[in-house]
Amino acid sequence: MGVDGEDHQTTELDMDKIPEHVAIIMDGNGRWATRQHLPRVAGHKAGMESVKKVAIAASDLGVKVLTLYAFSTENWKRPTSEVSYLMKLPIRFFNTFVPDLVAHNVRVMVMGHIDELPAGTQKAVNQAIADTKDCDGMVLNFALNYGGRDELVGAVKALGQDIQDGKLAPESIDEQAISAHLMTAPLGKLADPDLMIRTSGEERISNFLLWQIAYSELVFVDQSWPDFDGESLKAAISVFQHRHRRFGGLVNK
Ligand code: IPE
Ligand code: IPE
Ligand code: MG
């Protein structure tokens, strides 16, 4: 369900029912730019401003983990010029925004194949992680060169290796063992999103957290990512708060 029709100024939230882990598929940057006769990369630049606004808003609301899908394992298929712009964005983002993150006690985490990114991007990412390592408020978790299937392949390989090394019996593989080998494992109990939002009107998962969204509430909004802000986040959380989560049982949670 879209939330664009709601009056963003009057969104009332139940502060006792803020989703602990919110994941966002930040989509629609290119179309946002094209609609304004701008190059697609102008949409990515504007999208970076949304990341700042939404990260602070989420932290202020008491969200514990905000996972943002920034670059998928499939996004390498895009023209080289767009890919290289997207690879420079984290450098610009962290260079300007880390002091704000520290001021809000936000810790940066990154999941995905960082080793395949250009050296300058890796450096910026690792610096941001180091600069915020003592923050113990919200975790701002970027999925960068991340793919859900790739993540599951990695987990299966690691489990296979443990079996070959005699450290694991196949019959002892359970859901916890799989979760422990996913890139969200450092998040512990908070690994699975309570709420997953996708902007831009598309209603698909595009290889984001496949295992972890088993019982996530999905909210699709028509706004493009550059138009999404703190009020949009509140509106999506309001939709979440009106859902009834049952986890297969009969009791609403
Ligand atoms: C999302 O916006 C950002 C990334 C995938 C990196 P898009 O670039 O996918 O924008 P649209 O979907 O083409 O409008
Ligand atoms: C998903 O958006 C990836 C990110 C937001 C980083 P895409 O724009 O790549 O997804 P598709 O191609 O429309 O499914
Ligand atoms: Mg897209």
Side-chain angles (χ1 to χ4, degrees), residues 26-31 40 75 78 198 200 202 204 206:
M26 309 183 287
D27 195 23
N29 293 352
R31 281 165 284 167
R40 286 179 55 84
N75 285 146
R78 296 187 180 197
R198 181 172 187 144
S200 91
E202 305 297 342
R204 58 177 171 268
S206 300

Side-chain angles (χ1 to χ4, degrees), residues 16-216:
D16 294 329
K17 279 169 58 185
I18 297 295
E20 294 191 313
H21 183 172
V22 177
I24 308 183
I25 303 175
M26 309 183 287
D27 195 23
N29 293 352
R31 281 165 284 167
W32 179 90
T34 304
R35 276 198 297 276
Q36 300 177 65
H37 311 285
L38 294 169
R40 286 179 55 84
V41 294
H44 298 315
K45 186 171 175 224
M48 189 172 80
E49 299 308 316
S50 294
V51 171
K52 295 179 182 175
K53 287 185 221 161
V54 173
I56 299 303
S59 162
D60 287 348
L61 285 169
V63 169
K64 293 187 175 154
V65 179
L66 177 66
T67 298
L68 300 177
Y69 202 8
F71 192 88
S72 77
T73 46
E74 286 73 41
N75 285 146
W76 296 105
K77 293 176 190 166
R78 296 187 180 197
T80 318
S81 56
E82 182 169 342
V83 169
S84 60
Y85 190 91
L86 286 167
M87 289 300 147
K88 288 199 186 91
L89 268 189
I91 306 175
R92 289 168 75 165
F93 176 81
F94 289 125
N95 278 349
T96 56
F97 199 49
V98 163
D100 278 3
L101 292 175
V102 172
H104 283 84
N105 198 22
V106 171
R107 182 159 66 91
V108 173
M109 237 183 81
V110 178
M111 59 177 195
H113 291 287
I114 303 309
D115 53 310
E116 294 169 3
L117 304 179
T121 314
Q122 291 191 38
K123 192 167 164 241
V125 161
N126 289 328
Q127 191 64 50
I129 293 170
D131 289 346
T132 61
K133 70 172 183 357
D134 296 327
C135 297
D136 59 3
M138 188 182 82
V139 172
L140 177 58
N141 180 31
F142 286 96
L144 198 53
N145 196 17
Y146 169 89
R149 286 189 170 186
D150 169 82
E151 178 188 41
L152 287 165
V153 168
V156 172
K157 274 188 189 154
L159 289 166
Q161 190 64 52
D162 285 351
I163 291 170
Q164 197 178 35
D165 296 346
K167 291 191 227 152
L168 181 72
E171 57 275 17
S172 65
I173 295 177
D174 56 11
E175 294 189 5
Q176 269 97 335
I178 293 174
S179 295
H181 284 85
L182 299 178
M183 292 172 177
T184 44
L187 296 169
K189 280 194 187 116
L190 297 174
D192 298 345
D194 301 294
L195 166 62
M196 177 179 282
I197 302 167
R198 181 172 187 144
T199 59
S200 91
E202 305 297 342
E203 302 191 355
R204 58 177 171 268
I205 300 303
S206 300
N207 203 16
F208 203 24
L209 307 162
L210 298 178
W211 171 275
Q212 296 90 335
I213 58 165
Y215 276 103
S216 302

